C-alpha cells in the first residue's frame, strides 16, 4: 500500500458497482412554482471492497443522500441502480445502523435482532440460532433477553450492529453511528468494526458511513467523499491510501485531516457543470439575496475571536477545533458567522482575525454589542430589513410571519424557522429589536422608540 | 449454539402457590364461558322491549353481569373501530384531513342524539331477536367511547420517530409485522389511558340508555341502568343505594383488576431510553405473571398463528423491495376504485343533507327561538360547572400535589372517582335536592360537576407534582408573596395540565347536559330550559326535526369552542408553559 498523504482524485473504477446513482437530485416543491434544491444532480457509486465515508457540514444533505441510496427516499430526479436494476424494483440487500439506534424498546435484544429475519420468513429455530451467533460476534452474549433500555448507549449500538449484520447485507450503511456515544465508547466500537471488516467476519462487501467527524472518516475510510452545501453537491471524492491500523498522530494522517479542513472551509467554487436550466425555475441558493445565516450564537463568536487573539490573531482551523475539542459541525457555523460579519477571514484553512474582529474581541460587553450591531446591519440583509420595517411602522411592531413569508421563497420550511431563530438571537443580542415570542412579533425596544418619536416631533 | 441466560432477566421467579393461581385462572375462564353462553341464549330469544325489573338483591348480580357484558362488547368494538379508523386516516393523505374533521364533529355530538337512529336501525336490521335491541344499546355505548380512542391511535401513529419508521422499511417489515412490532406497541400507552376515560364514558351512557322512551315505544333492558331508573321512579331509596353501591364496586374492581395491571404492563412500551424509577405497580399483574398457565399458553398459541403468516408474507412481491417513505408524495395517481368510493360517499352525504334539510323545514320560528334560548342556557351551565370545578380543584389539587405522600394516596382515588358514572349518582343527589327545595337548575349543574371535576382534580395534582422543587425553593428563598407564588409559579406550572383536564371536562359536561336537564323522578318529569332538555324531550316524544336541530346546535357550539378557545390555550400550554426537563 502506498503511503501518500496528498490524496489522488478517485478514478472511475473498472469494477462493477453495487449501487450506482445517476444524476440524483432532491428538491422540495414550493407553492410558488419555485423549488428548494437540497441536493443538486450528483453521480455516486459504491463498489465492493471499500469503506466509503461521506463527510459534510450540516445542511449538506448527507442523510438525504444515504436515504436515496438505500431506497428509503425517492430522488426527485435521476435514478439509483442496484446491480444495474432500479432500486425501486430490485431486491436490495442493505442495512442501516442509525444514529439514534432505532431499536424497538418493547422487544428484547434477541427479538430486536430476530425481527429483520422474521420479515424475510426465516423459520423460528434458524432465526434464533443466527441471531444468537450474531449477538455473540458483537460481544453481547448473555444479554439476549434484556431490554434495550437496560443497556448503555454503546451496548445499544452493538445491538444495532447485530441487527444490521444478521441479514448479511451486501452494503452496510451507517448514519452517524457513533455520534450519540461518548468518545471512548465510540473509539472502541470503531476499532471493533474495523476488526470485523478486516477479518471478513461479516459477509458485507462495502460499508458506507455518513459522518461529520473528520478524524473518524480518515480513521475508517478507504475513500472519502466531501459534500458542500446550498445545495448539497460533491466537493471532492478521493481514495485514502494509509495502511490500517492508522495512527492519529502520524504526519500523513494529520496532513490528510488538515487537507479536508481546507476543503471544507474554502469558499465554494461554482460546480463544474452549469445547473440544469430546463423545467421549472430552480433557485440556486448562491444567487439569491438572503444570505444563509450560520446557526451560531454571538457569545460563541466572541469566544472564538478572543481565543484567536490569544494565539496571535491567526491559526489553523483544525488546531482551533482541536483546542476547543469541537467537531466541525460545532465550529464551522461559528467561523462562518464571524466571517459573514467581517470579524475574520479564511485563508488556506487558516482563520485570520480582521481589524473589526480585534476591536470586537478587545471590548467590554456594551461596546461589543455596539460593534456587533454595526457589523450586523452592514452585512445581514434580514436584520437590516427587520430593523427598517420596525422604524417605518407607526406602532413599531411587525409580525414574524411577514418575514417568514419572504424567507419562504428561498428556504425550506424548517430552514426558515432556523434562520428566524438565529436572526432573533442576533437581533436581541445587538439590541436591534425585541421579540415577543408569545405573540410572535418583533418590537422596537422602548428607549429607541422614544428616540424616534422625539426625532419625529422635532421635524 | 448453547442458550445461556446469564445477566439477563431472571427466568425463574420465586413462585408462591402457583398451583392455586392456575386453578383460579382456570375457574375464571370457565365462568367467562358460561356467562357468554347465558348471554347468547338471552340475545337469541324473542325480543322483549320492556323486561320487568326486580328490585330484589338476588337479581342484582345478573343485572351487573348484563351491564358489564354490554360495556365490554361496546369497548371491544370501539377498540377495533378506533384502530382501523386511525390507521386509515394516518396512512391515506387524501382522506386524512376529512377523517380527522369528521372525528372532531362526531366527538362533539352527545350520545343521546345517536339514540333514535341507532336503535331503530338495529331493530330493523336484526328483527325477531333480542339481539337487535341490545345491539342498539351497545352501539350507543360505543358512540360514547370510541372517538377519543381513535384520536389517540391516530396521533400515536403520526408521532412515531422517523428513524424507527426507516428501520422498519429498510428491514422490509410487512404491514403485519409493522403493526405488531412498531405501531401497536408505540400506541399502547395512549390506548390504555384513553381506554380508562372511554370506559368511564361508557358507564355514563349505559346508565342512561338501558331504559328509554322513544315516541310511543318504550324500552327497558335488564341491567344496572334500568335498575337504578326504576328504583328512582318507584322512590325505592334502599334499592337505589344498593344499586349505586354495586356500580361503585364494579368501577373499583375494574380499576384494580383491569386498568392497574394494564398500566403496569404497558410500562414496557414506554418510549424512553432509560428505565424510570417510579412506576405503577399492580399486585394483580404480579400474581398473573406467576401463573404458569397464563405465561406459557398464549405465547405459544400466538407463535402458532404468527409463524405461518410471516412465512407466507415473506414470499410476496412487496416483501422483497424497500418501500420509500415518501412514495405518497410522488404519485398523484387516482385509481378508479377511489373515484367510485368518493362518488358514493359524496352521494350519500348529499342525500343525507337533503333529507336533513327537508326535515328541518318543519321547524317553526318559535321552535328555533326556544332552541337558541336553550343553547344559551346550556352554554352558561356548562361553563359555570367548569368554573366551579376549577375554583375548588385548583387550590385543593395544588395542596395535595405539593405533598407527595398525600398525592400518592389521593391520585388513584380521584382516578376511580372520575370513572364513577355521574348518571348513577344523579338520582340520589336529585332526591336530596328536591327534599331541601332545590330544583333541576342547580341539580343539572351539580350533575355536570360530578362528571367533570375529577378530571380537573387529578390533572391539577399531576401538574403540581411536576413543578420542580428548585423552583419552589426559589419562591421561598426570595420571600414571594402569596400572590406572586400563585401568579409566577403555581398557575404557570400547572397550566398545561389544567388545560388538558379542562378540555376533557368540557367534553364531559356537554354530554352530561343532555341527561342533566331532563329527568323523571317518581311519576313526574323534571325539566329545566336547555338544549339538553330539548334533545331529551324530542327523543321521548319522537320529534326528530327538533332533535336534529338541537344536535347541530350543540355540535356547532362544541366545535367552535374547541377551535376558538381550547386549541389556542392548548398551543399556548405546549409552547410557553412547558417545563422542559
Amino acid at each position: 500500500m502506498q503511503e501518500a498523504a496528498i490524496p489522488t482524485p478517485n478514478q472511475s473504477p473498472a469494477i462493477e458497482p453495487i449501487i450506482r446513482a445517476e444524476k440524483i437530485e432532491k428538491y422540495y416543491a414550493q407553492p410558488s412554482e419555485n423549488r428548494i434544491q437540497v441536493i443538486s444532480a450528483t453521480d455516486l457509486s459504491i463498489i465492493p471492497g471499500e469503506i466509503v465515508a461521506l463527510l459534510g457540514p450540516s445542511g449538506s444533505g448527507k442523510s438525504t443522500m444515504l436515504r436515496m441510496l438505500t431506497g428509503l427516499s425517492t430522488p426527485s430526479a435521476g435514478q439509483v441502480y442496484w446491480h444495474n436494476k432500479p432500486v425501486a424494483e430490485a431486491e436490495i440487500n442493505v442495512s442501516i445502523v442509525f444514529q439514534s439506534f432505532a431499536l424497538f424498546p418493547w422487544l428484547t435484544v434477541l427479538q430486536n435482532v430476530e425481527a429483520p429475519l422474521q420479515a424475510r420468513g426465516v423459520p423460528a429455530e434458524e432465526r434464533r440460532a443466527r441471531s444468537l451467533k450474531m449477538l455473540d460476534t458483537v460481544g453481547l452474549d448473555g444479554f439476549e433477553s434484556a431490554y434495550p433500555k437496560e443497556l448503555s448507549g454503546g451496548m445499544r449500538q452493538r445491538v444495532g450492529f447485530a441487527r444490521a449484520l444478521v441479514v448479511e447485507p451486501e452494503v452496510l450503511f451507517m448514519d452517524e453511528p457513533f455520534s450519540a456515544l461518548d468518545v471512548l465508547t465510540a473509539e472502541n466500537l470503531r476499532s471493533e468494526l474495523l476488526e470485523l471488516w478486516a477479518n471478513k467476519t461479516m459477509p458485507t462487501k462495502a460499508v458506507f458511513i455518513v459522518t461529520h467527524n473528520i478524524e473518524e472518516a480518515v480513521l475508517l475510510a478507504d475513500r472519502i467523499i466531501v459534500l458542500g452545501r446550498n445545495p448539497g453537491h460533491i466537493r471532492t471524492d478521493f481514495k485514502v491510501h494509509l495502511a490500517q491500523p492508522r495512527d492519529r498522530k502520524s504526519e500523513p494522517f494529520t496532513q490528510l485531516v488538515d487537507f479536508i479542513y481546507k476543503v471544507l472551509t474554502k469558499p465554494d467554487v461554482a460546480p463544474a457543470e452549469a445547473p440544469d436550466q430546463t423545467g421549472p425555475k430552480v433557485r440556486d441558493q448562491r444567487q439569491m439575496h438572503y444570505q444563509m445565516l450560520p446557526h451560531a450564537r454571538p457569545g460563541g463568536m466572541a469566544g472564538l475571536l478572543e481565543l484567536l487573539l490569544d494565539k496571535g490573531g491567526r491559526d489553523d482551523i483544525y488546531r482551533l477545533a482541536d483546542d476547543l475539542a469541537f467537531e466541525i459541525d460545532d465550529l464551522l457555523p461559528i467561523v462562518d458567522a464571524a466571517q459573514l460579519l467581517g470579524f475574520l477571514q479564511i485563508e488556506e484553512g487558516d482563520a485570520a482575525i480582521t481589524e473589526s474582529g480585534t476591536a470586537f474581541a478587545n471590548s467590554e460587553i456594551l461596546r461589543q454589542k455596539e460593534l456587533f450591531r454595526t457589523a450586523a446591519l452592514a452585512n445581514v440583509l434580514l436584520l437590516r430589513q427587520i430593523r427598517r420595517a420596525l422604524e417605518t411602522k407607526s406602532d413599531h411592531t411587525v409580525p414574524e410571519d411577514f418575514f417568514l413569508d419572504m424567507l419562504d421563497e428561498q428556504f425550506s420550511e424548517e430552514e426558515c424557522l432556523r434562520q428566524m431563530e438565529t436572526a432573533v438571537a442576533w437581533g436581541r443580542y445587538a439590541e436591534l429589536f425585541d421579540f415577543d415570542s408569545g405573540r410572535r412579533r418583533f418590537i422596537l425596544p422602548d428607549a429607541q422608540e422614544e428616540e424616534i418619536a422625539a426625532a419625529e416631533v422635532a421635524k | 449454539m448453547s442458550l445461556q441466560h446469564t445477566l439477563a432477566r431472571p427466568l425463574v421467579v420465586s413462585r408462591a402457590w402457583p398451583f392455586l393461581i392456575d386453578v383460579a385462572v382456570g375457574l375464571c375462564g370457565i365462568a367467562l364461558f358460561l356467562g357468554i353462553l347465558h348471554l347468547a341464549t338471552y340475545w337469541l330469544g324473542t325480543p322483549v322491549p320492556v323486561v320487568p325489573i326486580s328490585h330484589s338483591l338476588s337479581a342484582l348480580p345478573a343485572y351487573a353481569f348484563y351491564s358489564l357484558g354490554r360495556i365490554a362488547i361496546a369497548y371491544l368494538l370501539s377498540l377495533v373501530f378506533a384502530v382501523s379508523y386511525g390507521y386509515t386516516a394516518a396512512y391515506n393523505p387524501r382522506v386524512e384531513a376529512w377523517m380527522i374533521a369528521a372525528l372532531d364533529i362526531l366527538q362533539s355530538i352527545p350520545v343521546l342524539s345517536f339514540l333514535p337512529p341507532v336503535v331503530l336501525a338495529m331493530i330493523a336490521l336484526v328483527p325477531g331477536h333480542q339481539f337487535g335491541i341490545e345491539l342498539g344499546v351497545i352501539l350507543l355505548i360505543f358512540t360514547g367511547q370510541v372517538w377519543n380512542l381513535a384520536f389517540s391511535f391516530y396521533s400515536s401513529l403520526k408521532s412515531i420517530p422517523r428513524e424507527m419508521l426507516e428501520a422498519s422499511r429498510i428491514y422490509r417489515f410487512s404491514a403485519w409485522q409493522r403493526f405488531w412490532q412498531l405501531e401497536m406497541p408505540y400506541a399502547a400507552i395512549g390506548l390504555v389511558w384513553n381506554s380508562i376515560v372511554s370506559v368511564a364514558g361508557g358507564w355514563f351512557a349505559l346508565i342512561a340508555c338501558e331504559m328509554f322512551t322513544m315516541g310511543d315505544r318504550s324500552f327497558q333492558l335488564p341491567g344496572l341502568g334500568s335498575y337504578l331508573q326504576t328504583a328512582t321512579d318507584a322512590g325505592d331509596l334502599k334499592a337505589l343505594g344498593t344499586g349505586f353501591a354495586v356500580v361503585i364496586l364494579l368501577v373499583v374492581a375494574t380499576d384494580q383488576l383491569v386498568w392497574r395491571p394494564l398500566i403496569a404492563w404497558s410500562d414496557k412500551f414506554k418510549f424512553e431510553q432509560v428505565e424510570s424509577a417510579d412506576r405503577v405497580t399492580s399486585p394483580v399483574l404480579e400474581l398473573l405473571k406467576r401463573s404458569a398457565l397464563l405465561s406459557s399458553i398464549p405465547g405459544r398459541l400466538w407463535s402458532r398463528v404468527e409463524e405461518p403468516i410471516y412465512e407466507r408474507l415473506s414470499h410476496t412481491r412487496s416483501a422483497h423491495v424497500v418501500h420509500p417513505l415518501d412514495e405518497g408524495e410522488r404519485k398523484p395517481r387516482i385509481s378508479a376504485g377511489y373515484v367510485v368510493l368518493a362518488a358514493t360517499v359524496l352521494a350519500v352525504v348529499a342525500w343525507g343533507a337533503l333529507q336533513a334539510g327537508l326535515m328541518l323545514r318543519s321547524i317553526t320560528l318559535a321552535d328555533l327561538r326556544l332552541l337558541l334560548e336553550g343553547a344559551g342556557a346550556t352554554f352558561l351551565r356548562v361553563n359555570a360547572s367548569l368554573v366551579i370545578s376549577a375554583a375548588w380543584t385548583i387550590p385543593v389539587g395544588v395542596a395535595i400535589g405539593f405533598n407527595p405522600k398525600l398525592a400518592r394516596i389521593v391520585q388513584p382515588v380521584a382516578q376511580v372517582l372520575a370513572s364513577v358514572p355521574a348518571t348513577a349518582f344523579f338520582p340520589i343527589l336529585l332526591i336530596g335536592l328536591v327534599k331541601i327545595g332545590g330544583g333541576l337548575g342547580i341539580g343539572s349543574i351539580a350533575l355536570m360537576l360530578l362528571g367533570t371535576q375529577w378530571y380537573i382534580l387529578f390533572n391539577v395534582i399531576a401538574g403540581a407534582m411536576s413543578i420542580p422543587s428548585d423552583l419552589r425553593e426559589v419562591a421561598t428563598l426570595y420571600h414571594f408573596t402569596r400572590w406572586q407564588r400563585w401568579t409566577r409559579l403555581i398557575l404557570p406550572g400547572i397550566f398545561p395540565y389544567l388545560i388538558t383536564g379542562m378540555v376533557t371536562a368540557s367534553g364531559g359536561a356537554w354530554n352530561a347536559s343532555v341527561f342533566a336537564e331532563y329527568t323523571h323522578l317518581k311519576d313526574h318529569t323534571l325539566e329545566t330550559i336547555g338544549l339538553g332538555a330539548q334533545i331529551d324531550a324530542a327523543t321521548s316524544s319522537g320529534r326528530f326535526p327538533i332533535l336534529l336541530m338541537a344536535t347541530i346546535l350543540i355540535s356547532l357550539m362544541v366545535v367552535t369552542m374547541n377551535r376558538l378557545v381550547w386549541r389556542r390555550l392548548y398551543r399556548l400550554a405546549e409552547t410557553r408553559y412547558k417545563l422542559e426537563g
Side-chain angles (χ1 to χ4, degrees):
Chain A
M1 192 158 273
Q2 283 173 271
E3 282 282 304
I6 299 307
T8 50
N10 191 35
Q11 306 297 318
S12 57
I15 320 160
E16 191 202 309
I18 307 172
I19 295 178
R20 180 165 53 87
E22 256 182 31
K23 301 236 173 309
I24 51 169
E25 275 183 72
K26 192 82 184 173
Y27 48 76
Y28 296 106
Q30 290 293 98
S32 59
E33 281 279 298
N34 284 324
R35 298 193 242 164
I36 303 285
Q37 189 88 9
V38 182
I39 291 176
S40 57
T42 302
D43 290 333
L44 202 160
S45 48
I46 299 174
I47 54 168
E50 59 180 19
I51 300 183
V52 186
L54 188 66
L55 258 177
S58 62
S60 57
K62 299 181 296 253
S63 290
T64 314
M65 192 73 92
L66 178 140
R67 275 146 186 85
M68 288 198 289
L69 291 175
T70 51
L72 277 179
S73 168
T74 321
S76 312
Q79 183 62 272
V80 178
Y81 296 95
W82 169 264
H83 291 296
N84 291 326
K85 227 173 141 191
V87 266
E89 293 144 39
E91 186 176 339
I92 74 173
N93 186 15
V94 298
S95 291
I96 300 181
V97 174
F98 294 92
Q99 180 178 12
S100 67
F101 319 132
L103 300 174
F104 300 112
W106 37 82
L107 299 183
T108 62
V109 166
L110 183 63
Q111 286 168 334
N112 262 298
V113 178
E114 274 187 39
L117 293 177
Q118 213 169 3
R120 289 170 195 219
V122 178
E125 296 83 44
E126 190 193 335
R127 206 162 68 206
R128 169 166 285 250
R130 274 171 68 178
S131 305
L132 285 171
K133 185 156 167 259
M134 194 42 76
L135 281 172
D136 198 20
T137 311
V138 299
L140 280 173
D141 198 8
F143 284 94
E144 50 276 348
S145 42
Y147 284 95
K149 62 181 153 201
E150 297 170 273
L151 305 179
S152 67
M155 294 286 221
R156 264 181 252 161
Q157 195 54 300
R158 280 169 197 267
V159 182
F161 272 108
R163 180 176 67 176
L165 293 174
V166 79
V167 295
E168 310 192 335
E170 244 184 280
V171 185
L172 175 66
F173 283 89
M174 296 191 274
D175 187 11
E176 312 211 356
F178 309 115
S179 60
L181 306 174
D182 64 88
V183 184
L184 283 178
T185 312
E187 191 64 41
N188 190 8
L189 273 181
R190 267 195 290 266
S191 60
E192 279 183 43
L193 173 74
L194 277 177
E195 216 167 290
L196 286 179
W197 173 252
N199 298 342
K200 300 267 177 264
T201 323
M202 48 188 195
T204 303
K205 291 196 190 125
V207 176
F208 186 93
I209 176 170
V210 164
T211 176
H212 62 248
N213 183 328
I214 296 176
E215 286 199 21
E216 179 171 287
V218 178
L219 265 175
L220 294 176
D222 302 312
R223 178 180 155 206
I224 295 177
I225 302 170
V226 181
L227 288 187
R229 59 181 164 188
N230 300 341
H233 60 281
I234 294 186
R235 296 283 303 275
T236 168
D237 177 347
F238 58 86
K239 289 226 181 244
V240 181
H241 296 294
L242 305 174
Q244 291 282 10
R246 294 173 186 166
D247 175 14
R248 284 166 189 276
K249 297 275 178 280
S250 75
E251 186 66 10
F253 191 99
T254 52
Q255 270 180 18
L256 195 52
V257 172
D258 204 37
F259 167 77
I260 297 172
Y261 264 106
K262 270 181 201 151
V263 172
L264 279 169
T265 50
K266 210 162 33 181
D268 259 333
V269 283
E273 276 175 88
D276 188 14
Q277 300 295 327
T278 56
K281 197 170 81 189
V282 177
R283 280 270 193 159
D284 184 333
Q285 297 199 10
R286 273 159 303 188
Q287 291 158 7
M288 59 203 185
H289 54 291
Y290 283 114
Q291 318 90 320
M292 174 111 153
L293 298 185
H295 306 290
R297 290 174 185 286
M301 281 180 248
L304 176 73
L305 290 171
E306 278 162 34
L307 180 75
L308 207 53
L309 207 61
D310 280 349
K311 291 178 166 256
R314 188 186 183 90
D315 201 9
D316 206 2
I317 296 182
Y318 168 40
R319 218 159 307 143
L320 277 173
D322 217 30
D323 283 354
L324 294 164
F326 271 15
E327 288 190 357
I328 55 164
D329 256 16
D330 304 323
L331 185 64
L332 277 188
I334 305 178
V335 174
D336 286 351
Q339 194 184 5
L340 175 69
L341 293 172
F343 291 151
L344 61 76
Q345 277 172 349
I346 307 287
E347 294 148 8
E348 288 292 299
D350 280 1
I353 199 161
T354 60
E355 213 171 295
S356 61
T358 315
F360 181 74
N362 277 330
S363 309
E364 45 76 50
I365 179 79
L366 288 179
R367 176 76 187 134
Q368 264 186 349
K369 285 188 170 210
E370 223 168 277
L371 290 169
F372 191 91
R373 182 156 59 224
T374 320
L377 282 178
N379 294 305
V380 182
L381 176 67
L382 179 60
L383 291 176
R384 204 156 55 224
Q385 281 183 339
I386 295 176
R387 177 69 188 195
R388 209 167 285 163
L390 286 175
E391 283 169 5
T392 348
K393 268 196 76 183
S394 57
D395 61 347
H396 301 308
T397 92
V398 184
E400 179 193 29
D401 283 341
F402 181 67
F403 299 104
L404 276 178
D405 280 348
M406 299 204 289
L407 287 174
D408 196 34
E409 291 288 301
Q410 285 176 208
F411 301 105
S412 68
E413 205 174 317
E414 208 179 315
E415 189 54 48
C416 278
L417 294 175
R418 285 210 293 166
Q419 287 293 314
M420 199 47 92
E421 200 183 309
T422 308
V424 167
W426 289 14
R428 275 176 168 167
Y429 175 83
E431 294 173 24
L432 279 171
F433 51 74
D434 214 343
F435 183 69
D436 180 341
S437 60
R439 293 187 304 144
R440 311 299 302 173
R441 288 181 88 90
F442 292 99
I443 319 162
L444 208 58
D446 292 341
Q448 285 154 330
E449 214 173 296
E450 281 160 26
E451 250 169 59
I452 289 170
E456 273 168 11
V457 169
K459 269 185 222 161
Chain B
M1 176 113 292
S2 71
L3 245 171
Q4 281 185 319
H5 290 278
T6 53
L7 239 168
R9 216 150 253 248
L11 283 181
V12 187
V13 212
S14 59
R15 285 165 185 272
W17 13 271
F19 176 68
L20 272 182
I21 299 169
D22 281 352
V23 169
V25 169
L27 283 178
C28 287
I30 293 171
L32 195 70
F33 176 74
L34 287 177
I36 292 173
L37 209 65
H38 176 75
L39 213 57
T41 47
Y42 156 67
W43 276 358
L44 295 177
T46 44
V48 186
V50 179
V51 179
I53 298 289
S54 148
H55 285 173
S56 76
L57 269 178
S58 58
L60 265 175
Y63 291 154
F65 172 73
Y66 284 130
S67 293
L68 261 185
R70 279 178 205 122
I71 287 196
I73 293 168
Y75 170 71
L76 288 179
L77 282 178
S78 308
L79 195 63
V80 172
F81 178 86
V83 168
S84 0
Y85 194 93
Y87 198 90
T88 316
Y91 290 117
N92 292 287
R94 256 199 292 263
V95 290
E96 185 174 353
W98 293 95
M99 287 181 83
I100 296 311
L103 210 54
D104 223 17
I105 291 170
L106 284 169
Q107 185 167 245
S108 69
I109 298 177
V111 173
L112 222 56
S113 293
F114 287 111
L115 197 147
V118 165
V119 172
L120 290 178
M122 286 308 131
I123 292 174
L125 220 60
V126 194
H129 291 297
Q130 183 71 1
F131 186 57
I133 307 173
E134 283 288 343
L135 198 61
V137 173
I138 286 172
L139 282 185
L140 274 186
I141 302 169
F142 166 88
T143 58
Q145 297 182 324
V146 70
W147 317 121
N148 62 322
L149 282 177
F151 254 129
S152 155
F153 190 69
Y154 166 78
S155 52
S156 293
L157 286 187
K158 292 305 262 189
S159 62
I160 295 177
R162 195 166 173 88
E163 291 207 329
M164 303 284 281
L165 285 177
E166 286 174 346
S168 75
R169 294 287 173 123
I170 202 75
Y171 293 119
R172 312 203 301 235
F173 281 20
S174 52
W176 165 266
Q177 188 172 10
R178 218 170 48 224
F179 183 74
W180 291 108
Q181 294 192 344
L182 177 59
E183 288 151 353
M184 215 39 192
Y186 192 80
I189 292 185
L191 280 181
V192 167
W193 284 102
N194 275 286
S195 294
I196 299 177
V197 176
S198 276
V199 169
W203 272 107
F204 187 97
L206 173 111
I207 301 284
C209 295
E210 278 182 350
M211 188 179 154
F212 55 89
T213 330
M214 198 164 56
D216 50 357
R217 302 169 75 169
S218 292
F219 296 91
Q220 184 173 314
L221 299 174
L224 285 173
S226 300
Y227 184 90
L228 288 172
Q229 189 64 52
T230 48
T232 317
D233 288 346
D236 186 345
L237 281 180
K238 209 182 105 212
L240 201 56
T242 30
F244 184 61
V246 171
V247 171
I248 301 253
L249 190 76
L250 285 179
V251 167
V252 173
T254 317
D255 184 69
Q256 287 299 314
L257 296 177
V258 181
W259 300 134
R260 295 217 123 226
L262 263 182
I263 295 169
W265 171 76
S266 68
D267 195 68
K268 77 175 197 175
F269 300 118
K270 231 179 225 169
F271 194 76
E272 56 181 8
Q273 298 303 332
V274 279
E275 212 158 358
S276 60
D278 108 279
R279 298 208 309 212
V280 176
T281 53
S282 160
V284 178
L285 182 68
E286 292 307 312
L287 273 180
L288 286 179
K289 273 186 182 161
R290 289 187 197 170
S291 160
L293 211 66
L294 268 186
S295 58
S296 65
I297 289 183
R300 245 181 267 161
L301 274 180
W302 182 237
S303 68
R304 275 278 173 76
V305 179
E306 205 179 31
E307 287 305 329
I309 295 179
Y310 281 117
E311 161 71 28
R312 204 154 306 158
L313 281 173
S314 69
H315 295 310
T316 57
R317 167 93 192 90
S318 90
H320 291 267
V321 291
V322 171
H323 297 277
L325 275 169
D326 49 8
E327 60 192 335
E329 296 161 20
R330 287 264 288 181
K331 292 178 221 153
R333 203 162 36 111
I334 292 172
S335 64
Y338 177 73
V339 173
V340 171
L341 188 73
T344 321
V345 170
L346 212 67
V348 168
V349 168
W351 182 80
L354 190 73
Q355 290 296 314
L358 287 177
M359 212 182 208
L360 290 180
R361 275 213 327 223
S362 67
I363 293 179
T364 62
L365 218 59
D367 283 338
L368 197 64
R369 229 190 63 203
L370 212 62
L371 278 171
L372 286 177
E373 266 171 32
T378 304
F379 180 81
L380 288 180
R381 226 170 264 139
V382 164
N383 288 307
S385 81
L386 279 182
V387 169
I388 296 172
S389 309
W392 83 264
T393 51
I394 291 174
V396 172
V398 168
I400 295 171
F402 279 175
N403 181 343
K405 260 189 219 145
L406 192 61
R408 226 163 287 143
I409 302 166
V410 177
Q411 188 75 318
V413 175
Q415 203 178 305
V416 171
L417 282 174
S419 299
V420 173
T423 35
F425 187 63
F426 193 43
I428 301 176
L429 183 94
L430 208 59
I431 289 173
L433 265 176
V434 168
K435 268 198 184 136
I436 58 166
L440 200 61
I442 305 170
S444 60
I445 294 183
L447 175 75
M448 291 181 198
L449 271 182
L450 280 177
T452 57
Q453 55 198 354
W454 309 116
Y455 286 115
I456 306 184
L457 180 66
F458 77 65
N459 272 296
V460 170
I461 296 177
M465 285 168 80
S466 78
I467 295 178
S469 58
D470 42 3
L471 287 188
R472 280 163 59 196
E473 278 158 20
V474 167
T476 317
L477 206 62
Y478 293 115
H479 300 290
F480 274 24
T481 59
R482 183 176 287 260
W483 172 251
Q484 274 178 314
R485 241 175 104 85
W486 277 94
T487 54
R488 294 275 171 262
L489 173 70
I490 298 173
L491 287 179
I494 63 171
F495 189 75
Y497 294 85
L498 185 64
I499 294 302
T500 311
M502 299 271 268
V503 170
T504 320
S506 107
W510 277 108
N511 214 345
S513 72
V514 183
F515 303 99
E517 292 169 355
Y518 182 95
T519 189
H520 302 278
L521 197 61
K522 289 190 185 158
D523 310 322
H524 51 278
T525 306
L526 287 178
E527 183 177 4
T528 176
I529 182 163
L531 210 49
Q534 278 151 347
I535 289 184
D536 227 334
T539 309
S540 299
S541 56
R543 294 182 62 200
F544 297 138
I546 300 276
L547 175 67
L548 182 64
M549 191 66 214
T551 306
I552 291 175
L553 276 177
I554 264 199
S555 168
L556 211 64
M557 281 198 288
V558 174
V559 172
T560 326
M561 277 292 277
N562 278 343
R563 287 271 150 95
L564 290 185
V565 182
W566 296 120
R567 213 168 279 177
R568 281 186 193 187
L569 287 174
Y570 214 79
R571 206 167 308 141
L572 192 66
E574 287 277 283
T575 50
R576 189 151 159 212
Y577 293 110
K578 198 163 188 182
L579 278 167
E580 265 140 327

